[in-house]
Structure formats: C-alpha cells, structure tokens
Amino acid sequence: MPTMTMPNKLYQQLEKAAQMIGMSKDIVLENALSRYLAELQEDAEDTERAEKAWNDFENSGEAAIPAEALYKALGL
C-alpha cells in the first residue's frame, strides 16, 4: 500500500475527522483525494471548454457587446 507524509496538524485533523464520522483514516483520505481529483478534472474540462468558446468567438468575427450596452438593453 502506498504511504505518504503530511504535517502533524493535518494528521491530527484527519484523525479527528475519521473518529467523528466513524471511518478509518484510509477511507477518509481516499474519499477526500477522490473528490479533489474529480474537481481538478472538472476544472481542467471547464478551462478547455472556455478556451474553445473564446477561440470560436474570436474566429467568428463577431463584435463583442460592451457590458454597458447589454445592461441598457436589459434595462439594468
């Protein structure tokens, strides 16, 4: 099984969390790491989609609408 090191304060927080929810430290770490990695993946996918949308817009030749004009058109 892989091992890791962490600051003592973080380890104490891990122990407290594991005791609080009645799970092993391994399970708490696995769940936390799983969620963190999924979030990183989602962020990377969001970035990729945003970059594509921006490039598509730039390549379209369409003019940008100034925020002030949009606010006015929306009555804001």
Side-chain angles (χ1 to χ4, degrees):
M1 173 175 272
T3 61
M4 64 179 286
T5 58
M6 66 182 74
N8 192 45
K9 183 178 179 181
L10 186 57
Y11 185 78
Q12 290 172 348
Q13 291 173 323
L14 172 62
E15 283 186 317
K16 185 176 180 180
Q19 289 173 352
M20 191 170 50
I21 62 175
M23 292 184 170
S24 71
K25 293 183 293 281
D26 286 345
I27 295 297
V28 173
L29 281 173
E30 182 180 337
N31 289 342
L33 185 55
S34 233
R35 289 178 182 174
Y36 178 72
L37 294 174
E39 187 174 321
L40 283 179
Q41 181 65 36
E42 183 180 340
D43 289 350
E45 291 168 358
D46 289 347
T47 299
E48 186 177 318
R49 281 192 294 273
E51 288 173 350
K52 182 185 181 317
W54 179 253
N55 289 333
D56 289 349
F57 170 74
E58 282 189 321
N59 293 332
S60 74
E62 293 181 47
I65 302 171
E68 294 78 20
L70 182 60
Y71 297 152
K72 186 176 180 180
L74 295 173
L76 301 174

Coordinates of all heavy atoms in Angstrom, one line a residue:
M1 N 0.9 -1.2 0.0 CA 0.0 0.0 0.0 C 0.9 1.2 0.0 O 1.9 1.3 0.7 CB -0.9 0.0 1.2 CG -1.7 1.2 1.4 SD -2.9 1.2 2.7 CE -4.3 0.5 1.9
P2 N 0.5 2.2 -0.8 CA 1.3 3.5 -0.8 C 1.3 4.2 0.5 O 0.4 4.1 1.3 CB 0.6 4.3 -1.9 CG -0.2 3.4 -2.7 CD -0.5 2.3 -1.8
T3 N 2.3 4.9 0.8 CA 2.4 5.7 2.0 C 2.6 7.2 1.7 O 2.9 7.5 0.5 CB 3.5 5.3 2.9 OG1 4.8 5.5 2.2 CG2 3.4 3.8 3.3
M4 N 2.3 8.1 2.6 CA 2.5 9.5 2.4 C 2.9 10.1 3.7 O 2.6 9.6 4.8 CB 1.3 10.1 1.8 CG 0.0 10.1 2.7 SD -1.4 10.9 2.0 CE -1.0 12.6 2.1
T5 N 3.5 11.3 3.6 CA 3.8 12.1 4.8 C 2.9 13.3 4.7 O 2.5 13.8 3.6 CB 5.3 12.5 4.8 OG1 5.6 13.2 3.7 CG2 6.1 11.2 4.9
M6 N 2.6 13.9 5.9 CA 1.9 15.1 6.0 C 2.2 15.8 7.3 O 2.7 15.2 8.2 CB 0.4 14.8 6.0 CG -0.2 14.0 7.1 SD -1.9 13.6 7.0 CE -1.9 12.3 5.8
P7 N 2.0 17.1 7.3 CA 2.2 17.8 8.6 C 1.4 17.3 9.7 O 0.3 16.8 9.5 CB 1.8 19.3 8.3 CG 1.8 19.4 6.8 CD 1.5 18.0 6.3
N8 N 2.0 17.3 10.9 CA 1.3 16.8 12.1 C -0.1 17.4 12.3 O -1.0 16.6 12.6 CB 2.2 17.0 13.3 CG 1.7 16.2 14.5 OD1 1.4 15.1 14.4 ND2 1.6 16.9 15.7
K9 N -0.2 18.7 12.1 CA -1.5 19.3 12.3 C -2.6 18.7 11.3 O -3.7 18.4 11.7 CB -1.4 20.8 12.0 CG -2.7 21.6 12.2 CD -2.6 23.0 12.0 CE -3.9 23.8 12.3 NZ -3.8 25.2 12.1
L10 N -2.2 18.4 10.1 CA -3.1 17.8 9.1 C -3.4 16.4 9.6 O -4.6 16.0 9.5 CB -2.5 17.8 7.7 CG -3.4 17.4 6.6 CD1 -4.6 18.2 6.5 CD2 -2.6 17.5 5.3
Y11 N -2.5 15.7 10.1 CA -2.7 14.3 10.5 C -3.7 14.3 11.7 O -4.6 13.5 11.8 CB -1.4 13.6 10.9 CG -1.6 12.2 11.3 CD1 -1.8 11.2 10.3 CD2 -1.6 11.8 12.6 CE1 -2.0 9.9 10.6 CE2 -1.9 10.4 12.9 CZ -2.0 9.5 11.9 OH -2.2 8.2 12.3
Q12 N -3.5 15.3 12.6 CA -4.4 15.4 13.7 C -5.9 15.7 13.2 O -6.8 15.1 13.8 CB -4.0 16.4 14.7 CG -2.7 16.0 15.4 CD -2.1 17.2 16.3 OE1 -2.5 18.3 16.1 NE2 -1.2 16.8 17.1
Q13 N -6.0 16.5 12.2 CA -7.3 16.8 11.7 C -7.9 15.6 11.0 O -9.1 15.3 11.1 CB -7.2 18.0 10.7 CG -6.9 19.3 11.3 CD -6.6 20.4 10.3 OE1 -6.0 20.1 9.2 NE2 -7.1 21.6 10.5
L14 N -7.1 14.8 10.4 CA -7.5 13.6 9.7 C -8.0 12.6 10.8 O -9.1 12.0 10.6 CB -6.4 12.9 8.9 CG -6.6 11.5 8.4 CD1 -7.8 11.5 7.4 CD2 -5.3 11.0 7.7
E15 N -7.3 12.4 11.9 CA -7.7 11.5 12.9 C -9.0 12.0 13.5 O -9.9 11.2 13.8 CB -6.6 11.5 14.0 CG -5.4 10.6 13.7 CD -4.5 10.5 14.9 OE1 -4.2 11.6 15.5 OE2 -4.0 9.4 15.1
K16 N -9.1 13.3 13.8 CA -10.4 13.8 14.4 C -11.6 13.6 13.4 O -12.6 13.1 13.9 CB -10.2 15.3 14.6 CG -11.4 15.9 15.3 CD -11.1 17.4 15.7 CE -12.3 18.0 16.4 NZ -12.1 19.4 16.7
A17 N -11.4 13.8 12.1 CA -12.4 13.6 11.2 C -12.8 12.1 11.1 O -14.0 11.8 11.1 CB -12.0 14.1 9.8
A18 N -11.9 11.3 11.1 CA -12.1 9.8 11.0 C -12.9 9.4 12.2 O -13.9 8.6 12.1 CB -10.8 9.0 10.9
Q19 N -12.5 9.8 13.4 CA -13.3 9.5 14.6 C -14.7 10.0 14.6 O -15.6 9.4 15.0 CB -12.5 10.0 15.8 CG -11.2 9.2 16.1 CD -10.4 9.9 17.3 OE1 -10.7 11.0 17.7 NE2 -9.3 9.2 17.7
M20 N -14.8 11.3 14.1 CA -16.1 12.0 14.1 C -17.1 11.2 13.2 O -18.3 11.1 13.6 CB -15.9 13.4 13.6 CG -17.1 14.3 13.8 SD -16.7 16.0 13.4 CE -15.9 16.0 11.8
I21 N -16.7 10.7 12.1 CA -17.6 10.0 11.2 C -17.6 8.5 11.3 O -18.3 7.8 10.6 CB -17.4 10.5 9.7 CG1 -16.0 10.1 9.2 CG2 -17.7 12.0 9.6 CD1 -15.8 10.5 7.7
G22 N -16.7 8.0 12.1 CA -16.6 6.6 12.3 C -16.1 5.8 11.2 O -16.5 4.7 10.9
M23 N -15.1 6.4 10.5 CA -14.5 5.7 9.4 C -13.0 5.7 9.6 O -12.4 6.4 10.4 CB -14.8 6.4 8.0 CG -16.2 6.3 7.6 SD -16.3 7.1 6.0 CE -17.9 6.7 5.5
S24 N -12.3 4.8 8.9 CA -10.9 4.7 9.0 C -10.2 5.9 8.3 O -10.8 6.5 7.4 CB -10.3 3.4 8.4 OG -10.5 3.5 7.0
K25 N -9.0 6.2 8.8 CA -8.3 7.3 8.1 C -8.1 7.0 6.6 O -8.1 7.9 5.8 CB -6.9 7.5 8.8 CG -7.1 8.1 10.3 CD -5.8 8.3 10.9 CE -5.0 7.1 11.2 NZ -5.3 6.3 12.3
D26 N -7.8 5.8 6.3 CA -7.6 5.4 4.9 C -8.8 5.8 4.0 O -8.7 6.3 2.9 CB -7.3 3.9 4.7 CG -5.9 3.5 5.2 OD1 -5.1 4.4 5.4 OD2 -5.7 2.3 5.4
I27 N -10.0 5.5 4.6 CA -11.3 5.7 3.8 C -11.5 7.3 3.7 O -11.8 7.7 2.6 CB -12.5 5.1 4.5 CG1 -12.4 3.6 4.5 CG2 -13.8 5.5 3.9 CD1 -12.4 3.0 3.1
V28 N -11.2 8.0 4.8 CA -11.3 9.4 4.7 C -10.4 10.0 3.7 O -10.8 10.9 2.9 CB -11.1 10.1 6.1 CG1 -11.1 11.6 6.0 CG2 -12.2 9.6 7.1
L29 N -9.2 9.6 3.7 CA -8.2 10.0 2.7 C -8.6 9.7 1.3 O -8.5 10.5 0.4 CB -6.8 9.5 3.0 CG -6.0 10.1 4.1 CD1 -4.7 9.4 4.4 CD2 -5.7 11.6 3.8
E30 N -9.0 8.4 1.1 CA -9.5 8.0 -0.2 C -10.6 8.8 -0.7 O -10.6 9.3 -1.9 CB -9.9 6.5 -0.2 CG -10.3 6.0 -1.5 CD -10.7 4.5 -1.5 OE1 -10.3 3.8 -0.5 OE2 -11.4 4.1 -2.4
N31 N -11.6 9.1 0.1 CA -12.7 9.9 -0.3 C -12.3 11.3 -0.6 O -12.8 11.9 -1.6 CB -13.8 9.9 0.8 CG -14.5 8.6 0.9 OD1 -14.5 7.8 0.0 ND2 -15.2 8.4 2.1
A32 N -11.5 11.9 0.3 CA -11.1 13.3 0.0 C -10.2 13.4 -1.2 O -10.4 14.3 -2.0 CB -10.2 13.8 1.2
L33 N -9.3 12.5 -1.5 CA -8.5 12.5 -2.6 C -9.3 12.3 -3.9 O -9.1 13.0 -4.9 CB -7.4 11.5 -2.5 CG -6.3 11.5 -3.7 CD1 -5.7 12.9 -3.8 CD2 -5.3 10.4 -3.4
S34 N -10.3 11.4 -3.8 CA -11.1 11.1 -5.0 C -11.9 12.4 -5.4 O -12.0 12.7 -6.5 CB -12.1 10.1 -4.6 OG -12.1 9.0 -5.5
R35 N -12.5 13.1 -4.4 CA -13.2 14.3 -4.6 C -12.3 15.4 -5.2 O -12.7 16.1 -6.1 CB -13.9 14.8 -3.4 CG -15.1 13.9 -3.0 CD -15.7 14.4 -1.7 NE -16.8 13.4 -1.3 CZ -17.4 13.6 -0.2 NH1 -17.1 14.5 0.7 NH2 -18.4 12.7 0.1
Y36 N -11.1 15.5 -4.6 CA -10.2 16.5 -5.1 C -9.8 16.3 -6.5 O -9.8 17.2 -7.3 CB -9.0 16.5 -4.1 CG -7.9 17.5 -4.6 CD1 -8.1 18.9 -4.4 CD2 -6.7 17.1 -5.1 CE1 -7.1 19.8 -4.8 CE2 -5.8 18.0 -5.5 CZ -6.0 19.4 -5.3 OH -5.0 20.3 -5.7
L37 N -9.5 15.1 -6.8 CA -9.0 14.7 -8.2 C -10.2 14.9 -9.2 O -10.0 15.4 -10.3 CB -8.5 13.3 -8.3 CG -7.2 13.1 -7.5 CD1 -6.8 11.6 -7.5 CD2 -6.1 14.0 -8.0
A38 N -11.4 14.6 -8.8 CA -12.6 14.8 -9.7 C -12.8 16.3 -9.9 O -13.1 16.7 -11.0 CB -13.8 14.2 -9.0
E39 N -12.6 17.1 -8.9 CA -12.7 18.6 -9.0 C -11.6 19.1 -9.9 O -11.9 20.0 -10.8 CB -12.6 19.2 -7.6 CG -12.9 20.7 -7.7 CD -12.9 21.3 -6.3 OE1 -13.5 20.7 -5.3 OE2 -12.4 22.5 -6.1
L40 N -10.4 18.6 -9.8 CA -9.3 19.1 -10.7 C -9.7 18.7 -12.1 O -9.4 19.5 -13.1 CB -8.0 18.4 -10.3 CG -7.2 18.9 -9.1 CD1 -6.0 18.1 -8.9 CD2 -6.9 20.4 -9.3
Q41 N -10.2 17.5 -12.4 CA -10.6 17.1 -13.7 C -11.7 18.0 -14.3 O -11.6 18.4 -15.4 CB -11.0 15.6 -13.7 CG -11.4 15.1 -15.1 CD -10.3 15.1 -16.1 OE1 -9.1 14.8 -15.7 NE2 -10.6 15.4 -17.3
E42 N -12.7 18.3 -13.4 CA -13.8 19.2 -13.8 C -13.2 20.6 -14.2 O -13.7 21.2 -15.2 CB -14.8 19.2 -12.7 CG -16.0 20.1 -13.1 CD -17.1 20.1 -12.0 OE1 -17.1 19.3 -11.1 OE2 -17.9 21.1 -12.1
D43 N -12.3 21.1 -13.4 CA -11.8 22.4 -13.6 C -11.0 22.4 -14.9 O -11.1 23.4 -15.7 CB -10.8 22.8 -12.5 CG -11.5 23.2 -11.2 OD1 -12.8 23.3 -11.2 OD2 -10.9 23.3 -10.2
A44 N -10.2 21.3 -15.2 CA -9.5 21.3 -16.5 C -10.5 21.2 -17.7 O -10.2 21.9 -18.7 CB -8.6 20.0 -16.5
E45 N -11.5 20.5 -17.5 CA -12.5 20.4 -18.6 C -13.2 21.7 -18.8 O -13.5 22.1 -20.0 CB -13.6 19.3 -18.3 CG -13.0 17.9 -18.4 CD -13.9 16.8 -17.8 OE1 -15.0 17.1 -17.3 OE2 -13.5 15.6 -17.9
D46 N -13.5 22.4 -17.7 CA -14.1 23.7 -17.8 C -13.2 24.7 -18.5 O -13.7 25.5 -19.4 CB -14.5 24.3 -16.4 CG -15.7 23.6 -15.8 OD1 -16.4 22.8 -16.5 OD2 -15.9 23.8 -14.6
T47 N -11.9 24.7 -18.2 CA -10.9 25.5 -18.8 C -10.9 25.2 -20.3 O -10.8 26.2 -21.1 CB -9.6 25.3 -18.1 OG1 -9.7 25.7 -16.8 CG2 -8.5 26.2 -18.8
E48 N -10.8 24.0 -20.6 CA -10.8 23.6 -22.1 C -12.0 24.1 -22.8 O -11.9 24.7 -23.9 CB -10.7 22.1 -22.2 CG -10.4 21.6 -23.6 CD -10.3 20.0 -23.6 OE1 -9.6 19.5 -22.7 OE2 -10.9 19.4 -24.5
R49 N -13.2 23.9 -22.2 CA -14.4 24.4 -22.9 C -14.4 25.9 -23.0 O -14.8 26.5 -24.1 CB -15.7 24.0 -22.1 CG -16.0 22.5 -22.4 CD -17.4 22.2 -21.9 NE -17.5 22.2 -20.4 CZ -17.2 21.2 -19.6 NH1 -16.8 20.1 -20.1 NH2 -17.3 21.4 -18.3
A50 N -13.9 26.6 -22.0 CA -13.9 28.1 -22.0 C -12.9 28.6 -23.1 O -13.2 29.5 -23.8 CB -13.5 28.7 -20.7
E51 N -11.8 28.0 -23.2 CA -10.8 28.3 -24.2 C -11.3 28.1 -25.6 O -11.1 28.9 -26.5 CB -9.5 27.6 -24.0 CG -8.7 28.1 -22.8 CD -7.5 27.2 -22.5 OE1 -7.3 26.1 -23.1 OE2 -6.7 27.7 -21.6
K52 N -12.0 27.0 -25.8 CA -12.6 26.7 -27.1 C -13.7 27.7 -27.4 O -13.7 28.2 -28.6 CB -13.2 25.3 -27.1 CG -13.8 24.9 -28.5 CD -14.5 23.6 -28.5 CE -15.0 23.2 -29.9 NZ -15.7 24.2 -30.6
A53 N -14.5 28.0 -26.5 CA -15.6 29.0 -26.7 C -15.0 30.4 -27.1 O -15.4 31.1 -28.0 CB -16.5 29.1 -25.5
W54 N -13.9 30.8 -26.4 CA -13.3 32.0 -26.7 C -12.6 32.0 -28.1 O -12.8 33.0 -28.8 CB -12.2 32.4 -25.6 CG -11.5 33.7 -25.9 CD1 -10.2 33.8 -26.4 CD2 -12.1 35.0 -25.8 NE1 -10.0 35.1 -26.6 CE2 -11.1 35.9 -26.2 CE3 -13.3 35.5 -25.4 CZ2 -11.3 37.2 -26.3 CZ3 -13.5 36.8 -25.5 CH2 -12.5 37.7 -25.9
N55 N -12.0 30.9 -28.4 CA -11.3 30.8 -29.7 C -12.4 30.8 -30.8 O -12.2 31.5 -31.8 CB -10.5 29.6 -29.8 CG -9.2 29.7 -29.0 OD1 -8.7 30.8 -28.8 ND2 -8.7 28.6 -28.6
D56 N -13.5 30.1 -30.6 CA -14.6 30.1 -31.5 C -15.2 31.5 -31.7 O -15.4 32.0 -32.9 CB -15.7 29.2 -31.1 CG -15.4 27.7 -31.2 OD1 -14.3 27.4 -31.8 OD2 -16.1 26.9 -30.6
F57 N -15.3 32.3 -30.6 CA -15.8 33.6 -30.7 C -14.8 34.5 -31.5 O -15.2 35.3 -32.4 CB -16.1 34.2 -29.3 CG -16.3 35.7 -29.4 CD1 -17.6 36.2 -29.8 CD2 -15.4 36.6 -29.0 CE1 -17.8 37.5 -29.9 CE2 -15.6 38.0 -29.0 CZ -16.8 38.4 -29.5
E58 N -13.6 34.4 -31.2 CA -12.5 35.2 -31.9 C -12.5 34.9 -33.3 O -12.4 35.8 -34.2 CB -11.2 35.0 -31.3 CG -11.0 35.8 -30.0 CD -9.5 35.7 -29.5 OE1 -8.9 34.6 -29.6 OE2 -9.0 36.7 -29.0
N59 N -12.6 33.7 -33.7 CA -12.6 33.3 -35.1 C -13.9 33.6 -35.9 O -13.9 33.6 -37.1 CB -12.3 31.8 -35.2 CG -10.8 31.4 -34.7 OD1 -10.0 32.3 -34.8 ND2 -10.6 30.2 -34.2
S60 N -14.9 33.8 -35.1 CA -16.2 34.1 -35.8 C -16.3 35.5 -36.4 O -17.1 35.7 -37.3 CB -17.4 33.9 -34.8 OG -17.4 35.1 -33.9
G61 N -15.5 36.4 -36.0 CA -15.5 37.7 -36.5 C -16.6 38.6 -35.9 O -16.8 39.7 -36.2
E62 N -17.4 38.0 -35.0 CA -18.5 38.8 -34.3 C -17.9 39.8 -33.4 O -16.8 39.7 -32.9 CB -19.4 37.8 -33.5 CG -20.2 36.8 -34.3 CD -21.0 36.0 -33.3 OE1 -21.7 36.5 -32.5 OE2 -21.0 34.7 -33.5
A63 N -18.6 40.9 -33.3 CA -18.2 42.0 -32.5 C -18.7 41.7 -31.0 O -19.7 41.2 -30.8 CB -18.8 43.4 -32.9
A64 N -17.8 42.1 -30.1 CA -18.2 42.0 -28.7 C -19.2 43.1 -28.3 O -19.2 44.1 -28.9 CB -17.0 42.1 -27.8
I65 N -20.1 42.8 -27.4 CA -21.1 43.7 -27.0 C -20.6 44.3 -25.7 O -20.4 43.6 -24.7 CB -22.5 43.1 -26.7 CG1 -23.0 42.4 -28.0 CG2 -23.5 44.1 -26.2 CD1 -24.2 41.6 -27.8
P66 N -20.4 45.6 -25.6 CA -19.9 46.2 -24.3 C -20.9 46.0 -23.2 O -22.2 46.0 -23.5 CB -19.8 47.7 -24.7 CG -19.7 47.8 -26.2 CD -20.5 46.6 -26.7
A67 N -20.5 45.8 -22.0 CA -21.3 45.5 -20.9 C -22.4 46.6 -20.7 O -23.6 46.3 -20.4 CB -20.5 45.3 -19.6
E68 N -22.0 47.9 -20.9 CA -22.9 49.0 -20.7 C -24.1 48.9 -21.7 O -25.2 49.1 -21.3 CB -22.2 50.3 -20.9 CG -21.2 50.6 -19.8 CD -19.8 49.9 -20.1 OE1 -19.6 49.4 -21.2 OE2 -19.1 49.7 -19.1
A69 N -23.8 48.5 -22.9 CA -24.9 48.3 -23.9 C -25.8 47.2 -23.5 O -27.0 47.3 -23.7 CB -24.3 48.1 -25.3
L70 N -25.2 46.1 -23.0 CA -26.0 45.0 -22.6 C -26.9 45.3 -21.5 O -28.1 45.0 -21.4 CB -25.1 43.8 -22.3 CG -25.8 42.5 -21.9 CD1 -26.7 42.0 -23.0 CD2 -24.8 41.4 -21.5
Y71 N -26.4 46.0 -20.5 CA -27.1 46.4 -19.3 C -28.3 47.3 -19.7 O -29.4 47.2 -19.3 CB -26.3 47.2 -18.3 CG -25.2 46.4 -17.7 CD1 -24.0 47.0 -17.2 CD2 -25.2 45.0 -17.5 CE1 -23.0 46.3 -16.7 CE2 -24.2 44.3 -17.0 CZ -23.1 45.0 -16.5 OH -22.1 44.2 -16.0
K72 N -28.0 48.3 -20.6 CA -29.0 49.2 -21.1 C -30.1 48.4 -21.8 O -31.3 48.6 -21.6 CB -28.4 50.2 -22.0 CG -29.4 51.3 -22.5 CD -28.7 52.4 -23.3 CE -29.7 53.4 -23.7 NZ -29.1 54.5 -24.5
A73 N -29.7 47.5 -22.7 CA -30.7 46.7 -23.5 C -31.6 45.8 -22.5 O -32.8 45.6 -22.8 CB -30.0 45.8 -24.5
L74 N -31.0 45.4 -21.4 CA -31.8 44.6 -20.5 C -32.5 45.4 -19.4 O -33.2 44.9 -18.5 CB -30.8 43.6 -19.8 CG -30.2 42.6 -20.6 CD1 -29.1 41.8 -19.9 CD2 -31.2 41.6 -21.2
G75 N -32.3 46.8 -19.5 CA -33.0 47.7 -18.6 C -32.4 47.6 -17.2 O -33.1 47.8 -16.2
L76 N -31.1 47.4 -17.1 CA -30.4 47.3 -15.8 C -29.6 48.5 -15.5 O -29.2 49.2 -16.3 CB -29.5 46.1 -15.8 CG -30.2 44.7 -16.0 CD1 -29.1 43.6 -16.1 CD2 -31.1 44.4 -14.8

